[in-house]
């Protein structure tokens, strides 16, 4: 049992712990992973843990996939990290906050475990934004045609050209003529490639290492991963897109009884197999 076992909810000890918790928001998480990576890549640290410096990769799932992708891109910017990453493996990653009406967002709008309105709220939380913006963002009012700052970036996630017909099906883009200009004014981080790696410059993508992206059919984030794979391929990166037709967001964690789902076991095995073969 932990040190707080048996402590009542009215305990001063609990309250003091709550007061000591510091909530942090973007971009602090990015800074954290960069600091940790720089520390880990020091020769003496690598030697301590018997790590081959030529076999270092980054990986993460969901929001962790976002941080892994952002960190991968930082390897192209930060001199102390350059050329030190062998691969990146992204598991149903969160990669963009500009379009919440891609085919997968429309198809899986109310699909557990991650319905669209929850994903949009997570983005607002990440930026310490205003929940009053959620409904407007759901219909893409934050990147409407009158938001000039978003114009060039929208082309980088144009799913009508980045997704295959089997994924696009009969879904139509949602592009508002006029929207809510306050959203980007108050949350400019929405248009930052450090938060939305899918909109990074082509030159950044060209410098990325071999990449594995796992996507699931029943997931609002499916198209983020597929579009990123397409953009990376176009930039000349060696990409493996591993798509599971019966997969859902978070399925890889369901590998133990009583939730030992077949798709959880298969996604985990496929991911580990790729790492074994490429790292």
């Amino acid at each position: 049992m932990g040190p707080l076992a048996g402590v009542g909810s009215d305990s001063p000890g609990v309250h003091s712990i709550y007061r000591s918790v510091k909530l942090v928001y973007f971009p602090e998480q990015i800074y954290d992973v960069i600091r940790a990576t720089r520390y880990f890549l020091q020769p003496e640290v690598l030697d301590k843990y018997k790590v081959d410096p030529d076999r270092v990769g980054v990986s993460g799932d969901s929001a962790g996939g976002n941080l892994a992708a952002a960190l991968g891109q930082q390897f192209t910017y930060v001199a102390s990290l350059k050329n030190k990453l062998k691969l990146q493996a992204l598991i149903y990653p969160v990669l963009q906050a500009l379009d919440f009406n891609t085919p997968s967002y429309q198809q899986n709008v109310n699909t557990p475990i991650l319905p669209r309105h929850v994903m949009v709220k997570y983005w607002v939380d990440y930026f310490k934004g205003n929940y009053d913006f959620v409904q407007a963002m759901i219909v893409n009012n934050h990147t409407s045609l009158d938001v000039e700052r978003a114009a060039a970036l929208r082309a980088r996630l144009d799913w009508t050209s980045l997704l295959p017909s089997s994924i696009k099906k009969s879904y139509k883009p949602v592009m508002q003529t006029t929207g809510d200009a306050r959203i980007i004014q108050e949350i400019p981080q929405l248009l930052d490639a450090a938060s939305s790696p899918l909109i990074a410059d082509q030159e950044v993508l060209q410098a990325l290492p071999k990449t594995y992206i796992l996507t699931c059919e029943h997931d609002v984030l499916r198209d983020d991963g597929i579009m990123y794979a397409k953009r990376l391929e176009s930039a000349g990166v060696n990409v493996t897109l591993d798509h599971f037709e019966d997969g859902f967001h978070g399925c890889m964690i369901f590998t133990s009884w009583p939730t030992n789902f077949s798709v959880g076991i298969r996604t985990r095995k496929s991911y580990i197999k790729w790492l074994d073969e490429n790292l």
Side-chain angles (χ1 to χ4, degrees):
M1 299 182 70
L4 294 182
V7 177
S9 60
D10 293 329
S11 166
V14 170
H15 290 172
S16 64
I17 289 172
Y18 288 161
R19 286 196 299 269
S20 70
V21 172
K22 179 185 177 182
L23 297 178
V24 296
Y25 304 92
F26 176 87
E28 287 302 320
Q29 293 84 350
I30 306 296
Y31 298 153
D32 278 350
V33 295
I34 292 174
R35 283 192 291 265
T37 303
R38 278 175 161 164
Y39 174 81
F40 183 74
L41 289 175
Q42 294 178 102
E44 60 271 23
V45 177
L46 293 173
D47 183 65
K48 176 181 178 180
Y49 293 104
K50 303 297 186 288
V51 174
D52 183 343
D54 295 323
R55 297 181 62 210
V56 176
V58 295
S59 184
D61 71 297
S62 192
N66 174 283
L67 291 177
L71 179 62
Q73 293 181 7
Q74 291 299 316
F75 272 75
T76 71
Y77 295 121
V78 182
S80 62
L81 301 180
K82 207 170 185 65
N83 302 319
K84 292 186 177 180
L85 184 64
K86 184 174 183 180
L87 57 80
Q88 61 177 348
L90 314 176
I91 313 301
Y92 28 76
V94 186
L95 295 172
Q96 60 89 21
L98 283 75
D99 187 355
F100 295 113
N101 288 274
T102 63
S104 60
Y105 267 109
Q106 294 187 51
Q107 173 183 309
N108 300 296
V109 61
N110 292 314
T111 299
I113 297 173
L114 189 64
R116 178 172 61 182
H117 74 279
V118 172
M119 188 65 244
V120 176
K121 285 183 177 179
Y122 285 161
W123 275 111
V124 173
D125 284 336
Y126 191 34
F127 302 130
K128 199 181 180 181
N130 189 333
Y131 272 0
D132 290 344
F133 292 150
V134 169
Q135 290 304 314
M137 291 168 63
I138 284 175
V139 295
N140 288 348
N141 276 347
H142 60 308
T143 53
S144 53
L145 294 174
D146 60 334
V147 180
E148 295 182 5
R149 294 175 59 188
L153 301 177
R154 280 194 299 266
R156 299 180 184 181
L157 48 82
D158 177 10
W159 58 260
T160 63
S161 61
L162 290 173
L163 297 177
S165 298
S166 59
I167 293 293
K168 290 185 291 187
K169 299 177 183 176
S170 59
Y171 294 106
K172 304 298 182 184
V174 174
M175 183 67 69
Q176 308 294 348
T177 303
T178 58
D180 189 340
R182 296 176 305 153
I183 301 175
I184 295 301
Q185 289 172 0
E186 294 189 24
I187 317 178
Q189 306 96 313
L190 286 162
L191 304 183
D192 191 333
S195 69
S196 295
L198 180 55
I199 62 174
D201 293 340
Q202 184 81 348
E203 293 76 14
V204 173
L205 302 186
Q206 289 172 346
L208 289 173
K210 182 180 292 189
T211 300
Y212 172 89
I213 300 176
L214 186 147
T215 57
C216 294
E217 181 67 17
H218 307 290
D219 182 5
V220 292
L221 302 177
R222 178 197 67 194
D223 297 345
D224 284 20
I226 296 174
M227 287 191 287
Y228 199 44
K230 182 66 174 180
R231 285 207 67 203
L232 290 174
E233 287 176 352
S234 298
V237 177
N238 183 330
V239 180
T240 296
L241 177 61
D242 200 4
H243 183 67
F244 287 79
E245 288 290 339
D246 59 341
F248 57 90
H249 191 77
C251 63
M252 192 182 287
I253 67 173
F254 294 100
T255 58
S256 301
W257 187 89
T259 56
N260 50 332
F261 298 161
S262 169
V263 68
I265 295 169
R266 284 184 283 110
T267 51
R268 183 182 63 180
K269 285 184 176 179
S270 187
Y271 164 62
I272 292 175
K273 181 175 184 289
W274 187 88
L275 290 176
D276 283 341
E277 294 174 350
N278 293 278
L279 187 59

